[in-house]
Amino acid sequence: MLRYLTWDALNHYPKLRDSMFLDRATQFRARLKWEVTVDQNGFERDQYDGLPGVIYTIWERPDGTHGGSMRFLPTTGRTMLAEHFSSLTQGVEIASPHIWECTRFCLAPGAGNRTAPALMLAGLDLGLGHGLSHSVGVFDAPMVRIYARLGWPPAVLGTQGSGRTAISAGLWAFEPALRPVLLRRARVSAKDADRWYAQAFEGGVRAA
């Protein structure tokens, strides 16, 4: 199932939380060789985890462990793009109540092929439900093809480097027409997706 959890809410699910941070260490340090901090427990956490306004979208496996996740933060506060990758937008500041940053897209080892589109679906529902226009994020440039295959490619704002080591910044537009495509690819019913969202944001309003 999909969960939408603030930092405080995440701490009520220690099994889910801890397995997410372990999987982030596996993906970002062990596999991708990023220079990230991993603590004595094997958890990958950074300075943006726990900031005000943070929301995690998480695919939870039947046993309560992490299957995949993303992290969203309002761009009106601190973001990785503003503090570390502003050169990708040619110095143009992206700070709007209608744009949130998405980071730490992570898939657990052995995640099934429905996990990535389910996370994209969660991101879309989060944006539509909160009245956002776009999400912005930094990603390995070759991921553009994968996002396109999932049915939701970003508009690339800028790229540095070349080949497999290139990184890009991009904008994803929150458009209701994308939802049927992502529901189908995630093999999730609209009824279940609506229920999971409502469990997190009782009374929230999503665009039709």
Side-chain angles (χ1 to χ4, degrees):
M1 69 174 293
L2 286 170
R3 289 197 182 274
Y4 304 80
L5 299 172
T6 64
W7 177 257
D8 289 343
L10 179 65
N11 289 323
H12 292 295
Y13 298 87
K15 186 176 184 180
L16 182 61
R17 177 199 62 203
D18 293 352
S19 56
M20 178 179 74
F21 291 131
L22 286 169
D23 287 341
R24 278 176 33 173
T26 297
Q27 175 169 314
F28 299 126
R29 188 168 79 170
R31 185 164 65 83
L32 296 178
K33 309 301 183 186
W34 290 6
E35 293 183 4
V36 296
T37 300
V38 175
D39 67 17
Q40 67 273 14
N41 297 311
F43 299 161
E44 188 281 308
R45 289 185 289 201
D46 67 13
Q47 59 191 312
Y48 302 96
D49 288 307
L51 284 180
V54 67
I55 294 177
Y56 299 88
T57 57
I58 305 174
W59 179 256
E60 181 182 3
R61 289 169 160 163
D63 65 356
T65 61
H66 169 262
S69 56
M70 296 190 293
R71 180 181 66 195
F72 288 85
L73 275 168
T75 59
T76 50
R78 294 180 59 201
T79 64
M80 292 186 69
L81 181 64
E83 296 182 355
H84 299 283
F85 298 103
S86 61
S87 59
L88 291 172
T89 61
Q90 289 74 52
V92 175
E93 182 181 9
I94 297 178
S96 166
H98 304 295
I99 302 175
W100 285 9
E101 181 184 66
C102 175
T103 54
R104 289 304 195 257
F105 185 102
C106 177
L107 298 177
N113 59 11
R114 66 185 299 202
T115 306
L119 292 175
M120 301 291 277
L121 171 65
L124 179 67
D125 279 358
L126 182 69
L128 295 178
H130 282 69
L132 306 181
S133 64
H134 294 83
S135 175
V136 64
V138 177
F139 52 90
D140 294 327
M143 284 292 294
V144 170
R145 294 190 298 273
I146 295 173
Y147 294 135
R149 209 158 50 232
L150 290 171
W152 192 10
V156 176
L157 301 175
T159 300
Q160 289 183 349
S162 61
R164 296 185 63 85
T165 61
I167 59 171
S168 298
L171 277 174
W172 285 261
F174 291 116
E175 299 174 349
L178 294 165
R179 198 169 191 247
V181 175
L182 295 175
L183 286 167
R184 183 174 65 253
R185 293 185 177 176
R187 302 196 300 278
V188 169
S189 71
K191 182 178 179 180
D192 280 342
D194 289 344
R195 176 169 54 86
W196 295 334
Y197 184 89
Q199 286 174 351
F201 306 107
E202 195 65 37
V205 178
R206 178 165 51 238

